[in-house]
C-alpha cells in the first residue's frame, strides 16, 4: 500500500464548553458563557469525517482526553473561591483540535526514512498545556509500529510549541519528499505568539529533516493581533499549492521566495486583502480549511459554512472556482460548535502521511465505526452544558461515563 495522507480528526469530547479560555482567539472570547451542545458538536465532527471518507480519503480519529482532569484540578488547589476560568481549565475539551496534537514529518522527508511525531507542549494556555501527556499516550498506541514511526518527547517547555497548526508541507505528491515550512510568531504584541522559533527549529532538527528542505517564516504580527493565533487561520498548503491570505506572513514576498528556493514547483493561491480583509478571513475561517487531493487528482477545499454566509468570501470562492486554478471545488461543512471556540475544519484534524496498514486499526474510521461513534455519542454525550454546570459532580460523572463508553466500544479502554 503506498503512503497516503490520513486525516485524524479529534472526536469532540463530552465536556465541550465555552469558557473563553484562549486570549487572542476571538471566537473563544466572544462565545464565553454561551451554552454549549456537546452531542451536536461531536455529531458535526463525525459528519465531517464521513464526508471525507465518502470522497475516498483515508480517515482516522483520536479519542477525547480524560476530563475533568483530576491531576490538574489538584495542582490548581481549587476550593470554590477561584476564578471561573481556573475551574474550567481541567474540563476543557480542547484536544478536539488535533492540528495542535503534534508536528508530523512523513517518512520521505526524514533521514532515517521513518515518520517522526513530536507532541505539542501547548504551554501558552493552561487549559491546553494539560493535553500533551494524554495525547502522547494515545499517539504511542496509534503509531506503535517502530519500523515506521518515531515518537519524540515534547519540546522543553521554555519554548512554546503548538504542533502542526504552524507547519506546512509542500511536495509533488504526498508520498514524495517534501519541503517543510515552519511558521513562528515573535512575542511582544497584544496577544501571545504561541509558536516560538526555537521550538520549530528544534522539531526540524530532531525529525532529521534536511536543512535545505526546511523553511522558517515569521508570522505577520498584524495577523496575530487580528486573531490569527495559529498560522493555519491564515494559510494552508497541500502538495504544490499554498493557499494563503495576502497578510499572513511578516514579509509576504520574502516568504514566497524562500519557499520557492527550496520548492521551485510552488503554486501560490493568494487572497488579496482587497477581496477578503484579514478580519473577514479570521471571522469566516476561510483558510482554516482542509485542502485535499481527491482520488482523481483534483483539489477540494473543505471550508466552514460560515464562509458561505459572507458575501466577500463566497464571491471570492466562486471566482476562484471559475478560474483555471488548482483548487476546483469549495465544499462547506457545518462545524459550528467547534467554530464558536475558534476551531475550523483544519483545526479538527492532524495529517499523517503513512501507509494506513501501519497504523493501529482501532484509530481508523470505517462505515461501521462511524455508526458506532454516532450511537455512543447520541446515547451518552450531554445535550447541553451551561457555564454554571462546570464543576458540578453529576456532570463530571456523566462526562467520565460517556468517555468510558466510547473507549469500550472502540476496544481502547487501555487509554482509560
Ligand atoms: O487553542 N480554542 C482553541 C482553538 C484551536 C484551534 N486550532 C487551530 N487553529 N489549529 C485554542 O485557542 C477555546 C477553549 C475555550 O475558550 O473554552 C480553545 O481552546
Amino acid at each position: 500500500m503506498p503512503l497516503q495522507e490520513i486525516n485524524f480528526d479529534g472526536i469532540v469530547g463530552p465536556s465541550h464548553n465555552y469558557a473563553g479560555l484562549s486570549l487572542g482567539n476571538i471566537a473563544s472570547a466572544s462565545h464565553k458563557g454561551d451554552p454549549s451542545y456537546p452531542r451536536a458538536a461531536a455529531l458535526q465532527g463525525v459528519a465531517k469525517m464521513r464526508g471525507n471518507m465518502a470522497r475516498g480519503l483515508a480517515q482516522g480519529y483520536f479519542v477525547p482526553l480524560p476530563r475533568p482532569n483530576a491531576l490538574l484540578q489538584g495542582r490548581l488547589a481549587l476550593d470554590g473561591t477561584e476564578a471561573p476560568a481556573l475551574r474550567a481549565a481541567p474540563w476543557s475539551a480542547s484536544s478536539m483540535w488535533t492540528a495542535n496534537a503534534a508536528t508530523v514529518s512523513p517518512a520521505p522527508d526524514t533521514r532515517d526514512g521513518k515518520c517522526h511525531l513530536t507532541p505539542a507542549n501547548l504551554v501558552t494556555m493552561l487549559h491546553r498545556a494539560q493535553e500533551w501527556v494524554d495525547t502522547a499516550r494515545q499517539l504511542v498506541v496509534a503509531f506503535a509500529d517502530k519500523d515506521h514511526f518515531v515518537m519524540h518527547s515534547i519540546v522543553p517547555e521554555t519554548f512554546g510549541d503548538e504542533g502542526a497548526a504552524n507547519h506546512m508541507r509542500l511536495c509533488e505528491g504526498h508520498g514524495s519528499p517534501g519541503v517543510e515550512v515552519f511558521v513562528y510568531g515573535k512575542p511582544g504584541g497584544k496577544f501571545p505568539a504561541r509558536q516560538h522559533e526555537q521550538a520549530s527549529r528544534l522539531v526540524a532538527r530532531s525529525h532529521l529533516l534536511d536543512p535545505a528542505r526546511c523553511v522558517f517564516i515569521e508570522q505577520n504580527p498584524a495577523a496575530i493581533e487580528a486573531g490569527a493565533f495559529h498560522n493555519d487561520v491564515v494559510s494552508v498548503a497541500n502538495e504544490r499549492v499554498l493557499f494563503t491570505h495576502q497578510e499572513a506572513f511578516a514579509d509576504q514576498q520574502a516568504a514566497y521566495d524562500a519557499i520557492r528556493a527550496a520548492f521551485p514547483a510552488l503554486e501560490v493561491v493568494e487572497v488579496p486583502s482587497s477581496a477578503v480583509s484579514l478580519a473577514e478571513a479570521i471571522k469566516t475561517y476561510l483558510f482554516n480549511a482542509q485542502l485535499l487531493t481527491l482520488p482523481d487528482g483534483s483539489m477540494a477545499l473543505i471550508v466552514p459554512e460560515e464562509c458561505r454566509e459572507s458575501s466577500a468570501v463566497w464571491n471570492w470562492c466562486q471566482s476562484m472556482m471559475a478560474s483555471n486554478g488548482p483548487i476546483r471545488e469549495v465544499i462547506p461543512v457545518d462545524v459550528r460548535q467547534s467554530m464558536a471556540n475558534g476551531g475550523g475544519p483544519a483545526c479538527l484534524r492532524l495529517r499523517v502521511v503513512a501507509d494506513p496498514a501501519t497504523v493501529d486499526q482501532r484509530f481508523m474510521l470505517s462505515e461501521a465505526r462511524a455508526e458506532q461513534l454516532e450511537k455512543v455519542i447520541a446515547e451518552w454525550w450531554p445535550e447541553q452544558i451551561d457555564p454554571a454546570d462546570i464543576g458540578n459532580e453529576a456532570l463530571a460523572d456523566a462526562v467520565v461515563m460517556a468517555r468510558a463508553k466510547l473507549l469500550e466500544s472502540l476496544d481502547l479502554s487501555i487509554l482509560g
Side-chain angles (χ1 to χ4, degrees), residues 19-22 25 28 97 100 127-128 165 194 230 232 341-342 347:
L21 299 181
S22 275
N25 171 340
S28 153
W97 300 298
N100 306 116
H127 68 290
R128 302 224 58 182
R194 299 204 211 173
H230 291 136
D232 69 0
N341 246 341
C347 299

Side-chain angles (χ1 to χ4, degrees), residues 17-23 25 28-29 32 88 92-94 97-100 122 125 127-128 131 162 164-166 194 229-233 285 288 338 340-344 346-348:
N17 70 90
Y18 299 119
L21 299 181
S22 275
L23 177 66
N25 171 340
S28 153
K32 177 180 177 176
S92 178
S94 53
W97 300 298
T98 52
N100 306 116
L122 295 166
M125 300 286 164
H127 68 290
R128 302 224 58 182
E131 288 174 38
E162 304 262 328
N166 302 296
R194 299 204 211 173
F229 53 92
H230 291 136
N231 174 64
D232 69 0
V233 175
Y285 264 40
N288 199 260
S338 167
N341 246 341
C347 299
L348 284 162

